[in-house]
Amino acid sequence: MSALSHHRVIILLLCMMALFSPPDVNRQDIAVIPSIYTQQEPQPGAGPADAHPNLCAMIETGRLDGLRWPDFSDYQAQVRDFYQQAGCSLAWTVNARPTPQALSLISILQDAARKGLRPEDYDGLLWGGRLAALFSPASQPSPADLERFDLALTVSVMRYASDLHEGRVNPRHVRFHLNEATQEHNLAEFVRARLVTSPAVKSAIDEVEPQYYGYRRMLTALEQYLILEKEGDGPALPVLPKSVKSIKPGTEWEGVPQLAQRLRQLGDLSADAALPAGPELYDGALVDAVQRFQMRHGLAADGAIGVRTVKELNTPLSQRVLQIQLTLERWRWLPHDLPSRLIVINIPEFRLRGYEDRRATITMPVIVGQHFRNRQTPVFQDEMEYLIFHPYWNVPVSIARNELIPAIRKDPGYLQKHHMEIVNQRGEPLAGQALNDEVARQLRSGKLGFRQTPGPWNALGQIKFVFPNQYDVYLHGTPEKHLFERSRRDFSHGCIRVKDPPALAAWVLRDDPAWNSERIQKALESDKTIQVNLPAPITVLVLYATVFVDEDGEVHFFDDIYGHDKTLKRVLAGGYPYPE
């Protein structure tokens, strides 16, 4: 085709899309859809009212060769329902030409990266060739060709809509126990009713996504970092020398030029910031920018450039994009009808937030479980029902077996020093409190237990917040307040220690007029154990996200302390069908 003819085709395409496409077709994506099909006159062929029994037979195999992921058995029931609703007729072509809705959906599938998804999972790289082969002026697509095109688009659209709505992987497969009841939606009905003849395909697709502010902010961050990755990864990436010693403000360092370039690239150093006079002097605005960078990456914001700071500065932007993509996947696992008032703990961030009307009204540092497999804080959802002032600590059997019994064997005075006692299953102290072989056997089996009495020594601090769950995990205070000074805070056996229990108590009891700040203070000053039931349960989400975007749009990154990002990346690499 000559250049002149090519330009005429493009002009014709623009006119056709303006006339016949749904109003929300993205004009920026027109170039990725071959235009040659628009030159052909309407051909006799199967219309939507014509049945295609071979199409139904293809569906029953649960496989379509030619797809990037040919096995669609996990969507087979939905695909079958979709076509049976219309008597096995074609959905995406009329008179052997793709409908405007089909073209709009193909454009959306090709643009899946903007949602943190992979276009190739929805055949994004293949649609151009398919359109060119089937709908060029010289082609005469057979009924079988049209059936394969139709089925391929239906499977791809269902995968895309489902992935946007509830994620690609079932969270329980990776041991994330989040409520799923509200996630379900009828794909066959959605595609048939909202997409096949819709004048607003993109708007309909957008509606299936989570509507939370945090999710929208994460999409904006993805767009920002996709641009940074495109412009700044590869040879252009300013790599800093790996310092052996800590670089303090006011000193010279050969990595200062690369440091300034990297901080400007990431937005921590403004373009017009005045730099020190010496080309290798680390001082002034550079220190401020490093502190901001450290704060955004879960580091101690002391301005000193050590090994960890250099490691984060040298992290490829492609890795940051991946972190955002994995975090978006986990956002889609959340129920779409979360209450307006809830508590969220983000494990890698070591932070708790209390939300009201989808905005954080309380936030504080927390300490979470250690990275060892049997001490990690689990990811789950439950309901906080009550709190206890001056709680006893009933020691878990695993801690009793692995830590306390050996400690008492070495030091017979251990129980008295740590204000602990041995109790039966009714919570009654055992007479004598001697750790002989029989008592030790019953402690290991759980027939007896260790209990620490309330007081300033108690491992739970002054307040325990209870949301009954299968893991026996809860929120509580701690006497070891110095641990909150650390930037990385995975020190517990799995429970979550909060820095300011009285403030959290005031927040959760806000709707109980009997428990104002004065009464809370009196309860703290007494030595009496008091259980207070909440006026209404409060949803608690214990989550895992290595990226957080705050309400000002600032993007924060955190270490993958439990390796959950690594696991999810591996599962996603396997492609469809994902394990149930």
Side-chain angles (χ1 to χ4, degrees):
M1 181 184 292
S2 69
L4 180 59
S5 297
H6 179 73
H7 290 155
R8 286 173 177 168
V9 169
I10 294 297
I11 293 170
L12 176 61
L13 173 62
L14 292 171
C15 294
M16 291 290 288
M17 297 294 275
L19 287 172
F20 299 114
S21 294
D24 59 8
V25 169
N26 187 345
R27 296 300 189 274
Q28 299 300 320
D29 298 321
I30 289 175
V32 300
I33 300 174
S35 59
I36 49 180
Y37 87 90
T38 60
Q39 295 177 322
Q40 95 187 71
E41 295 295 327
Q43 300 293 321
D50 298 320
H52 283 252
N54 289 337
L55 178 57
C56 284
M58 292 165 60
I59 294 168
E60 293 310 311
T61 69
R63 183 179 179 86
L64 181 61
D65 291 332
L67 286 176
R68 169 66 179 87
W69 304 108
D71 183 351
F72 66 90
S73 56
D74 50 338
Y75 285 89
Q76 186 177 18
Q78 295 97 319
V79 173
R80 182 190 300 117
D81 289 348
F82 171 77
Y83 281 105
Q84 285 181 349
Q85 289 177 21
C88 277
S89 61
L90 300 180
W92 308 111
T93 57
V94 176
N95 293 330
R97 296 177 66 176
T99 65
Q101 289 78 13
L103 296 177
S104 185
L105 285 167
I106 287 171
S107 177
I108 289 170
L109 299 179
Q110 292 172 321
D111 205 26
R114 291 180 61 187
K115 300 294 186 180
L117 302 171
R118 298 179 302 214
E120 59 267 29
D121 285 348
Y122 318 102
D123 286 17
L125 304 179
L126 304 176
W127 289 112
R130 286 175 183 155
L131 289 169
L134 288 175
F135 306 114
S136 66
S139 68
Q140 294 287 337
S142 68
D145 292 333
L146 296 175
E147 289 163 356
R148 292 177 64 82
F149 173 83
D150 215 85
L151 181 56
L153 186 52
T154 298
V155 170
S156 297
V157 167
M158 283 192 175
R159 284 172 170 169
Y160 181 79
S162 176
D163 293 349
L164 272 185
H165 184 70
E166 60 189 19
R168 290 162 283 184
V169 177
N170 187 318
R172 293 180 182 269
H173 176 71
V174 290
R175 297 185 177 87
F176 283 23
H177 287 247
L178 302 169
N179 293 353
E180 301 174 275
T182 59
Q183 297 291 88
E184 300 175 2
H185 81 302
N186 189 320
L187 271 176
E189 182 178 337
F190 169 75
V191 177
R192 177 66 62 185
R194 300 298 307 281
L195 301 181
V196 172
T197 60
S198 173
V201 168
K202 184 178 182 301
S203 298
I205 287 285
D206 288 346
E207 289 175 10
V208 307
E209 289 187 90
Q211 300 302 308
Y212 300 121
Y213 298 143
Y215 176 81
R216 296 296 176 188
R217 292 196 294 266
M218 195 68 64
L219 286 177
T220 301
L222 175 63
E223 185 175 359
Q224 172 189 349
Y225 273 82
L226 283 172
I227 294 172
L228 287 175
E229 179 191 19
K230 184 177 180 180
E231 296 177 348
D233 256 353
L237 176 67
V239 178
L240 279 72
K242 297 178 180 179
S243 303
V244 177
K245 62 180 182 178
S246 179
I247 307 301
K248 300 292 177 62
T251 61
E252 291 193 346
W253 181 43
E254 70 274 16
V256 164
Q258 297 98 311
L259 174 66
Q261 183 183 356
R262 187 62 159 167
L263 291 172
R264 281 200 167 116
Q265 179 187 43
L266 298 176
D268 295 295
L269 179 68
S270 63
D272 58 353
L275 298 181
E280 294 188 350
L281 179 61
Y282 174 55
D283 208 357
L286 280 176
V287 177
D288 296 337
V290 166
Q291 288 177 321
R292 182 185 176 196
F293 175 88
Q294 290 171 327
M295 181 271 298
R296 289 197 307 110
H297 291 77
L299 304 171
D302 55 9
I305 304 175
V307 173
R308 286 193 65 195
T309 299
V310 170
K311 174 179 175 292
E312 297 297 332
L313 284 164
N314 281 338
T315 297
L317 292 163
S318 57
Q319 172 62 27
R320 298 308 186 196
V321 169
L322 175 62
Q323 286 183 257
I324 296 172
Q325 291 168 337
L326 297 176
T327 302
L328 283 167
E329 172 74 7
R330 295 192 181 107
W331 263 107
R332 296 176 184 124
W333 294 347
L334 297 182
H336 288 208
D337 61 349
L338 286 172
S340 60
R341 192 162 190 249
L342 73 160
I343 293 171
V344 178
I345 298 98
N346 185 19
I347 294 170
E349 188 182 3
F350 312 111
R351 183 155 291 275
L352 173 149
R353 292 178 177 86
Y355 287 89
E356 298 176 272
D357 296 324
R358 300 192 176 187
R359 296 192 180 277
T361 56
I362 185 173
T363 181
M364 65 182 65
V366 298
I367 293 168
V368 301
Q370 298 173 23
H371 68 276
F372 305 110
R373 183 59 179 259
N374 63 340
R375 294 185 179 181
Q376 294 178 4
T377 298
V379 174
F380 69 104
Q381 173 181 342
D382 224 301
E383 303 290 318
M384 184 182 293
E385 298 178 0
Y386 61 93
L387 58 86
I388 301 174
F389 290 97
H390 304 292
Y392 285 87
W393 178 39
N394 295 300
V395 180
V397 174
S398 60
I399 298 178
R401 185 185 301 124
N402 298 325
E403 300 180 33
L404 264 62
I405 292 176
I408 295 168
R409 295 285 196 200
K410 293 180 180 179
D411 179 8
Y414 184 92
L415 288 178
Q416 184 177 1
K417 290 177 184 176
H418 293 85
H419 305 274
M420 305 190 81
E421 54 192 11
I422 300 173
V423 297
N424 60 26
Q425 293 179 333
R426 296 185 297 274
E428 299 166 341
L430 192 69
Q433 299 289 307
L435 186 67
N436 55 43
D437 290 344
E438 175 58 22
V439 170
R441 185 187 67 80
Q442 294 189 57
L443 285 165
R444 290 191 184 97
S445 69
K447 291 183 178 180
L448 295 176
F450 290 110
R451 182 175 73 177
Q452 189 175 40
T453 59
W457 51 79
N458 189 277
L460 306 186
Q462 293 180 296
I463 311 177
K464 172 182 175 181
F465 303 83
V466 183
F467 36 107
N469 59 81
Q470 68 186 86
Y471 307 103
D472 198 26
V473 165
Y474 38 84
L475 301 170
H476 63 83
T478 177
E480 298 181 295
K481 298 186 183 301
H482 64 282
L483 293 177
F484 289 105
E485 303 301 320
R486 309 277 188 90
S487 58
R488 175 164 174 162
R489 297 186 294 275
D490 52 329
F491 303 121
S492 82
H493 285 77
C495 284
I496 301 163
R497 309 175 193 173
V498 299
K499 183 175 183 180
D500 194 348
L504 185 58
W507 191 88
V508 301
L509 291 173
R510 185 202 62 186
D511 294 332
D512 187 343
W515 282 92
N516 55 26
S517 58
E518 182 179 350
R519 187 174 180 188
I520 290 173
Q521 185 59 37
K522 287 182 179 179
L524 291 170
E525 292 171 354
S526 75
D527 57 1
K528 185 178 179 181
T529 299
I530 305 171
Q531 176 173 320
V532 183
N533 296 328
L534 303 186
I538 298 175
T539 296
V540 177
L541 287 173
V542 185
L543 303 179
Y544 191 96
T546 59
V547 186
F548 178 77
V549 185
D550 64 26
E551 294 177 5
D552 295 327
E554 194 162 67
V555 188
H556 300 252
F557 296 95
F558 313 104
D559 286 343
D560 183 20
I561 59 172
Y562 293 168
H564 289 330
D565 273 6
K566 184 178 179 180
T567 298
L568 182 56
K569 177 186 175 183
R570 184 177 66 250
V571 174
L572 288 171
Y576 300 92
Y578 291 109
E580 293 295 329

